[in-house]
């Protein structure tokens, strides 16, 4: 991702199908495509990344079923992000706001409601068409320098460019950052949110690793990266969503005062050992122990005759299921809220995906929460299941029963 050539292997997860490749019934008897999934660390800049890139057309053009507006927690987060950006940078009505990887347009809706001109860009056509239908203009394409030039010619420069959980997905990151620089107004701000590599390592959140996530960002390599393009990282803020996310603020060099948070984060990362091979090796060992603990827990439950299902089927859940080899031998089926996934099967492990309501009508003994970063919301939504004696399993950071 950073174009570094000295990459050290941190952790090999084996071969995985891509995490959003939910299988329609008619594909059950066909071959399954799998790709190597390995976490490596760049010896030059420290960026954690994967070293095998799946063709983005396979990842995004077909079958891409992630919808960012599905959870209430997600919706509230994006509404707050829009409000906060408008206030902090005094964005005016009619200023242009661009969201890269805009999905169904949930973040842009907040800016639109505040009176800004908005424009989304996303190569995944199912969510993008949904955004357009809901009044959020969206370009269905990858974001590149060429697309950026086209946007400036038609719409002018942008005061805000956002990218939430997209930066880590960019295959041609150089072209995308050049494009952002081209679109950004002189006093404009790029606001990026991405899963933070430090909690991933610290809390064993290895399920964040899948082929759509090319890089696992942290502040030190991000600062160096933007510098290379004449941009400046000027603030870093922690966010509570997705089990540890960081928000990066980037502007043209000298356009915004640099907040002390940038240096503080880098010091914290270095003290933790995020760029230290021995510390990263420990992470790999701990993940292996976590897998043994989770499988052991499920085996004990099965031996005592308990029925177990999975609840929620996020992309990350498929990394966990495939890495731990948890299939129909342990779980009877998976349930899911998103209608786009119901009726399909989980990639690799082939668990049938049923509507969430089945949890209550069927009342299995245990429900493994794969979207554990939304565990609170999921458990609150399924209070009745718990009242009737159902139990939840939260797999990460340590498998536990609630
Ligand atoms: Zn590098």
């Amino acid at each position: 991702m950073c174009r570094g050539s000295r990459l050290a292997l941190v952790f090999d997860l084996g071969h995985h199908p891509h995490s959003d490749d939910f299988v329609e019934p008619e594909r059950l008897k066909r071959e399954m495509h799998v790709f190597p999934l390995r976490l490596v660390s760049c010896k030059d800049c420290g960026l954690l990344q994967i070293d095998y890139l799946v063709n983005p057309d396979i990842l995004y053009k077909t079958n891409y079923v992630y919808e960012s507006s599905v959870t209430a927690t997600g919706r509230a987060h994006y509404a707050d992000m829009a409000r906060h950006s408008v206030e902090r940078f005094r964005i005016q009505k009619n200023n242009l706001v661009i969201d890269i990887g805009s999905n169904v347009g949930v973040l842009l809706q907040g800016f639109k409601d505040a009176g800004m001109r908005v424009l989304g860009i996303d190569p995944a056509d199912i969510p993008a068409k949904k955004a357009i239908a809901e009044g959020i203009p969206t370009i269905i394409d990858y974001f590149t320098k060429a697309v950026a030039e086209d946007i400036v010619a038609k719409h002018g420069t942008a005061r805000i460019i956002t990218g939430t959980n997209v930066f880590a997905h960019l295959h041609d990151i150089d072209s995308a950052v050049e494009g952002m620089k081209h679109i950004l107004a002189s006093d404009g701000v790029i606001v990026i949110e991405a899963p933070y590599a430090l909690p991933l390592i610290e809390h064993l959140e290895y399920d964040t690793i899948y082929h759509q996530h090319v890089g696992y960002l942290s502040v030190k390599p991000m600062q160096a990266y933007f510098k290379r393009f004449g941009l400046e990282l000027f603030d870093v803020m922690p966010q509570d969503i997705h089990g540890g996310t960081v928000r990066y603020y980037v502007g043209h060099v000298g356009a915004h005062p640099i907040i002390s948070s940038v240096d503080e984060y880098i010091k914290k990362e270095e003290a933790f050992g995020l760029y230290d091979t021995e510390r990263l090796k420990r992470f790999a060992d701990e993940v292996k122990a976590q897998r043994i603990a989770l499988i052991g827990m499920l085996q004990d439950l099965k031996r005592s005759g308990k029925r177990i299902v999975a609840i929620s089927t996020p992309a990350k859940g498929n990394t966990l299921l495939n890495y731990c080899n948890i299939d129909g031998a342990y779980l009877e089926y998976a349930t899911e809220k998103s209608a786009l996934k119901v009726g399909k099967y989980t990639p690799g492990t082939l668990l049938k995906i049923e509507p969430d309501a089945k949890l209550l009508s069927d009342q299995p003994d245990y429900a493994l929460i794969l979207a554990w970063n939304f565990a609170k919301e999921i458990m609150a939504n399924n209070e009745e299941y718990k009242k009737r004696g159902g139990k939840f399993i939260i797999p990460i950071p340590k498998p536990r029963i609630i």
Side-chain angles (χ1 to χ4, degrees), residues 131-206:
I132 294 168
E134 278 163 31
I136 305 291
T138 304
I139 298 172
I140 304 177
D141 204 346
Y142 298 104
F143 182 72
T144 58
K145 178 110 196 277
V147 169
E149 283 166 352
D150 201 40
I151 291 172
V152 171
K154 284 190 187 132
H155 305 275
T157 56
R159 280 295 306 284
I160 298 266
I161 302 172
T162 52
T164 60
N165 294 299
V166 66
F167 212 80
H169 294 241
L170 294 170
H171 284 222
D172 193 349
I173 191 169
D174 286 14
S175 176
V177 173
E178 279 176 44
M180 288 182 198
K181 194 186 176 194
H182 186 74
I183 292 186
L184 193 67
S186 57
D187 58 349
V189 181
I190 301 169
V191 187
I192 288 161
E193 280 190 1
Y196 188 33
L198 196 144
L200 187 163
I201 299 298
E202 187 174 21
H203 305 305
L204 312 180
E205 297 168 4
Y206 71 91

Side-chain angles (χ1 to χ4, degrees), residues 1-7 41-49 221 225 228:
M1 182 184 197
C2 63
R3 309 222 166 158
S5 55
R6 303 193 312 130
L7 302 173
S41 165
C42 174
K43 287 182 177 172
D44 296 318
C45 73
L47 183 70
L48 287 162
Q49 52 203 294
Y225 194 80
R228 188 143 76 75

Side-chain angles (χ1 to χ4, degrees), residues 50-94:
I50 56 174
D51 68 351
Y52 183 91
L53 302 190
V54 178
N55 180 344
D57 284 350
I58 294 175
L59 295 179
Y60 300 110
K61 285 283 191 191
T62 50
N63 237 348
Y64 189 62
V65 288
Y66 175 70
E67 285 193 358
S68 60
S69 63
V70 165
T71 68
T73 314
R75 274 195 298 273
H77 174 81
Y78 292 121
D80 186 64
M81 181 178 176
R83 200 164 39 240
H84 181 265
S85 304
V86 168
E87 280 168 20
R88 176 168 177 186
F89 301 106
R90 299 198 180 86
I91 309 304
Q92 308 296 314
K93 288 203 163 91
N94 282 321

Side-chain angles (χ1 to χ4, degrees), residues 294-300 302 306-309 324-333 351:
L294 178 61
I295 295 171
M297 177 188 277
L298 298 180
Q299 281 173 340
D300 286 347
K302 287 305 277 185
K306 302 295 184 198
R307 297 181 56 217
I308 318 168
V309 302
C324 297
N325 208 2
I326 296 172
D327 57 13
Y330 299 98
L331 307 179
E332 294 185 16
Y333 54 86
L351 302 170

